[in-house]
Amino acid sequence: MAQFDLKDHSHRRYNPLTGEWIQVSPHRSKRPWQGQVEKTGGAELLAFDPACYLCPGNVRANGEVNPTYTSTYAFTNDFAALVEDVPAGEFRDSDLLLAKSEAGICRVICFSPRHDLTVAEMDVAGIRSVVDLWIEEYNQLGKNKNIQYIQIFENKGAVMGCSNPHPHGQIWAQQSIPAEPAKKQQHQLDYFKRKGVTLLADYQVLEQKHQERIVFENDHFIVVVPFWAVWPFETMIVPKRAMARITEMTEAERNAFADAYRRMATRYDNLFEVSFPYSAGIHQAPSDGEAHAEWHWHMVFYPPLLRSATVKKFMVGYEMLANPQRDITPEFSADRLRSLSDTHFKQHIVSEIPKP
């Protein structure tokens, strides 16, 4: 019998951050790779769109007027999924029907006054301003005694449910720890108790040893396709120094994080020469006043595209009923992303933003 090979034989991979498994079926990808470039024909965006509710000086849906901001801008979501004035209470009928009230705050983070940019097309200084605003917002929201967890994220592209192309992200802060961070909280804590070091600190050592899934790195961050990646071109930005929260970064680390964010977004766009959709977010320690030495914060990217700009990966059938499955190996994905340039395929023409 042939010897087991991760590159050829179906197998399951374990995610130590969540305790979950993924099915990998590399033999299914032996058909010719079709990573062709397909133009999607998207319309060119204006630098300033008078109809955009995120552009400087424009009126939002609730009648409020945005300031004529020149860098970043944050405001409370006009149609928030979580609000502060929810009365405390719960519904219970035996142990099977249970609901609890959940209060929170939802913030919108505008990355740039320019309507026509994405993170991939911004410069490092502009992205550094976003990082600084994230940290400022985290500090402010964390002072609220009712807030236990702060989720920072970005949805890019209509396929990811993003209703406005203006470069922006969101922050949801709430009373309880959501499901995904809660899994990572427990598994990182268990690992730290056993080893006395963070899980992702040890994981970095293994990735440096194997050199198969690293996409790139800079002085302070490593970017990898995780061994347990679910999405075809999923990646993770990990600080080389163990930190529980983004608020612990030095000035140099903030710059390096902005650099890694831009480079990763650019490589995604270069993969199929389109504005590449994804959901990205930062997982970090709860904002409960505890140190959480077990936590090693990180940023994850979950992009849906698989074989071209128009061929997506859907979680259906087996994925919905059993567990996630992928055809191309994380090593293949890392090799593809590693081969791409950090220079954007489309040289953006910077024009002056018209005054609103």
Side-chain angles (χ1 to χ4, degrees):
M1 180 178 290
Q3 186 175 0
F4 172 68
D5 188 338
L6 283 173
K7 296 179 180 178
D8 291 323
H9 302 130
S10 62
H11 59 277
R12 302 174 80 208
R13 297 195 184 195
Y14 178 68
N15 181 342
L17 284 170
T18 64
E20 297 172 343
W21 292 83
I22 174 173
Q23 174 69 37
V24 184
S25 308
H27 58 283
R28 284 166 52 89
S29 64
K30 288 186 177 180
R31 57 193 183 278
W33 172 253
Q34 297 175 351
Q36 69 267 29
V37 173
E38 295 184 11
K39 307 299 183 183
T40 57
E44 288 293 321
L45 297 175
L46 301 170
F48 171 81
D49 186 345
C52 170
Y53 61 85
L54 297 180
C55 279
N58 283 355
V59 179
R60 300 206 302 274
N62 66 350
E64 293 189 27
V65 179
N66 295 328
T68 53
Y69 65 96
T70 58
S71 177
T72 56
Y73 171 52
F75 62 92
T76 299
N77 197 317
D78 300 327
F79 302 97
L82 294 164
V83 294
E84 286 191 88
D85 58 350
V86 173
E90 69 173 50
F91 168 83
R92 180 189 292 270
D93 187 347
S94 76
D95 293 330
L96 300 178
L97 305 182
L98 177 64
K100 295 182 178 180
S101 61
E102 183 76 2
I105 302 168
C106 292
R107 301 279 286 170
V108 176
I109 308 296
C110 295
F111 294 170
S112 168
R114 294 188 64 94
H115 184 75
D116 57 344
L117 294 184
T118 65
V119 170
E121 298 167 290
M122 293 172 64
D123 58 24
V124 172
I127 300 171
R128 165 63 194 267
S129 295
V130 175
V131 173
D132 288 342
L133 183 55
W134 281 343
I135 292 171
E136 179 184 332
E137 288 284 319
Y138 186 96
N139 282 329
Q140 285 299 116
L141 291 166
K143 293 177 182 178
N144 188 321
K145 60 182 177 58
N146 294 322
I147 298 301
Q148 294 295 301
Y149 195 79
I150 299 170
Q151 181 61 63
I152 299 170
F153 64 99
E154 177 200 2
N155 291 326
K156 180 192 174 193
V159 70
M160 301 307 293
C162 186
S163 59
N164 191 322
H166 193 105
H168 73 286
Q170 299 184 58
I171 300 177
W172 289 19
Q174 61 189 97
Q175 285 179 295
S176 60
I177 303 177
E180 287 302 303
K183 295 173 192 173
K184 292 187 175 184
Q185 163 71 38
Q186 187 59 55
H187 284 84
Q188 288 185 102
L189 179 60
D190 291 345
Y191 191 91
F192 190 81
K193 285 180 176 179
R194 295 196 313 271
K195 304 285 188 175
V197 65
T198 67
L199 187 157
L200 288 179
D202 274 355
Y203 176 63
Q204 286 183 70
V205 173
L206 292 175
E207 289 294 8
Q208 293 284 6
K209 172 186 174 182
H210 291 285
Q211 291 290 316
E212 288 185 288
R213 289 166 295 273
I214 296 175
V215 179
F216 64 86
E217 57 185 301
N218 59 28
D219 289 343
H220 299 285
F221 289 85
I222 183 173
V223 183
V224 302
V225 176
F227 180 80
W228 52 82
V230 170
W231 294 96
F233 291 97
E234 177 180 331
T235 56
M236 180 167 63
I237 299 176
V238 186
K240 291 182 177 179
R241 179 173 69 92
M243 293 176 273
R245 303 173 179 89
I246 61 173
T247 54
E248 299 173 37
M249 282 190 287
T250 64
E251 289 292 310
E253 286 167 335
R254 292 189 190 195
N255 287 331
F257 181 36
D259 168 69
Y261 192 8
R262 184 202 65 79
R263 290 171 67 184
M264 195 60 252
T266 299
R267 288 181 186 231
Y268 278 141
D269 279 11
N270 287 343
L271 183 59
F272 300 131
E273 294 191 5
V274 294
S275 186
F276 204 88
Y278 57 72
S279 280
I282 297 170
H283 280 156
Q284 54 191 322
S287 56
D288 56 5
E290 301 295 328
H292 288 289
E294 74 278 4
W295 260 93
H296 196 134
W297 78 263
H298 50 283
M299 185 175 191
V300 293
F301 290 80
Y302 300 146
L305 298 188
L306 174 57
R307 299 180 76 83
S308 76
T310 57
V311 179
K312 305 171 184 65
K313 167 68 176 181
F314 292 99
M315 292 294 175
V316 297
Y318 181 87
E319 289 93 347
M320 296 178 72
L321 299 169
N323 60 231
Q325 181 270 340
R326 61 181 294 138
D327 291 347
I328 59 175
T329 64
E331 293 75 28
F332 176 89
S333 299
D335 186 61
R336 288 277 297 168
L337 292 169
R338 190 165 46 242
S339 69
L340 299 171
S341 171
D342 289 331
T343 302
H344 200 270
F345 76 93
K346 180 179 69 174
Q347 294 298 315
H348 194 79
I349 299 174
V350 177
S351 58
E352 185 177 348
I353 303 176
K355 293 182 179 180

